[in-house]
Amino acid sequence: MYDYISLRIDAKPCNEIITDLLADALAEIDYETFQPDDSGLMAYIRKDLFSINKVEEALKDFPMKADFKFSWETIVGEDWNKEWEQNYFKPINIEDKVVVRSSFHNDAPQLPIEILIDPKMAFGTGHHSTTAGMVSLILDLDLKGKSVIDMGTGTGILAILCKKLGASEVTAIEIDPFALENAEENGLLNNVKIDWRVGDVKSLVELKPADCFLANINLNVILADLSKYVEKLKTGGKMLLSGFYEKDLPQIEKSAIQYELKTLKIKIDKDWVAMLLEKL
C-alpha cells in the first residue's frame, strides 16, 4: 500500500484564483487531490514521487505575486481512512440525485441514489470537480442494459454508479492493486457486481467493445491511450473523459476529431473539464 505526502501551502495573499493556480501547477508534477481553503491548500502525492525542489521549481514562475510557506507530513497507507474522516470527507450531494457518503457518516441527505465509499489509498469520492463532473454526465445517460468500461477506476465510484443506473456489465480497471482492492470493498458495500481488474491500457486487449467508456485520469495518459479507448467503444457509443484543465481542451478535441469522436457536452468547474463524446 502506498504512503502519501500531505503538502500544506500557505499563501499570502490568498484567494480562489491563487489556489486554483497552485492546484494547476501541482497537477503538472503528479499531485492527485487538492483541498483549498482561506489560507492556501492541501495537496496529496505519493511519497515516492514527492520532492520539495520540484514544488519550488513548479512555482518559480507563478503568474501572480504571492508568498508561499510549505510544510508536509507522511500519511501511511493504513491511516488514509482516518485522515479523510477527520479532515474533509463529508457527505456529498450531486445535483440532488446522488449522495456519496462513507460508512461512518450518519448525517447524509436522503437522495434517489446513494453510493457508499470508504476511501483508503484510492482517489475519487465526488469532492473533486473531475469526479463530480463525470457523475453529472453519467446521470444524463440511459445505461439500462448497457456495457461499461471504467479506466482508472480509483475508488470505483463511477463504476458503482453505472451499475446502480442499470448497466448490465461493468468492467473497472485500475493500475494500483491496493486501490483496486479498495474499489472491490466499495463494490461490496454497495451490493453491486462489477468485473474488477488490475492493469493498464494493455488490459483492454481482451475486452469486447462497450456501449460506454469512462476515463477520469489525466491529460497525458488520455492523449497517449485515446486510440486504444476508441477501439473498445462501439459505434454510437458514449465516451466520458476528465482529469484535465480547460486550457487543455484544444488538445483533447483535436485528438477526438482524429479518432472520429463527436463532442456532445462539456462541463467545466474550477477550470477542470468533464466531457461527453460519441463515436461516429
Side-chain angles (χ1 to χ4, degrees), residues 44-256:
Y44 295 84
I45 189 172
R46 270 175 34 191
K47 185 177 181 180
D48 58 309
L49 300 176
F50 173 69
S51 166
I52 194 60
N53 291 333
K54 287 185 178 180
V55 173
E56 292 172 342
E57 181 67 22
L59 301 182
K60 184 176 64 175
D61 298 319
F62 197 74
M64 296 182 67
K65 187 175 181 180
D67 294 320
F68 302 121
K69 180 181 178 182
F70 308 111
S71 60
W72 59 92
E73 62 180 359
T74 298
I75 305 172
V76 296
E78 55 266 29
D79 288 341
W80 189 243
N81 270 350
K82 182 179 178 182
E83 177 75 9
W84 276 79
E85 181 177 0
Q86 290 181 345
N87 289 293
Y88 65 97
F89 184 21
K90 306 299 180 186
I92 309 145
N93 178 340
I94 301 177
E95 296 192 359
D96 289 330
K97 297 178 181 177
V98 176
V99 60
V100 184
R101 70 173 182 88
S102 182
S103 60
F104 52 71
H105 289 140
N106 297 312
D107 57 348
Q110 299 295 310
L111 295 177
I113 300 174
E114 179 181 73
I115 299 177
L116 293 173
I117 296 292
D118 281 347
K120 292 184 178 177
M121 293 315 296
F123 293 95
T125 61
H127 284 86
H128 197 272
S129 295
T130 57
T131 309
M134 291 285 279
V135 168
S136 180
L137 289 175
I138 289 170
L139 290 172
D140 289 340
L141 301 178
D142 178 6
L143 292 178
K144 289 184 175 63
K146 301 294 179 62
S147 57
V148 178
I149 297 173
D150 180 20
M151 195 75 206
T153 195
T155 60
I157 182 174
L158 301 181
I160 291 167
L161 174 62
C162 290
K163 197 66 179 178
K164 291 199 170 195
L165 289 172
S168 57
E169 300 175 23
V170 178
T171 302
I173 302 171
E174 171 57 49
I175 194 170
D176 180 351
F178 298 107
L180 190 74
E181 181 181 340
N182 177 216
E184 290 188 66
E185 293 171 353
N186 290 327
L188 291 173
L189 282 175
N190 290 274
N191 195 31
V192 294
K193 184 178 179 181
I194 291 170
D195 181 7
W196 305 105
R197 301 190 180 204
V198 173
D200 57 14
V201 69
K202 300 182 187 70
S203 303
L204 294 174
V205 173
E206 57 198 57
L207 299 181
K208 298 182 296 184
D211 297 296
C212 183
F213 194 105
L214 316 175
N216 181 12
I217 307 182
N218 64 53
L219 174 69
N220 293 332
V221 171
I222 290 172
L223 290 176
D225 296 344
L226 187 58
S227 64
K228 303 298 183 184
Y229 299 168
V230 174
E231 288 177 5
K232 295 302 175 178
L233 182 65
K234 296 177 181 178
T235 299
K238 303 300 190 295
M239 181 174 290
L240 285 75
L241 303 175
S242 193
F244 51 91
Y245 292 100
E246 186 175 6
K247 66 180 177 61
D248 302 320
L249 257 178
Q251 294 182 72
I252 296 290
E253 290 177 323
K254 181 179 179 180
S255 290

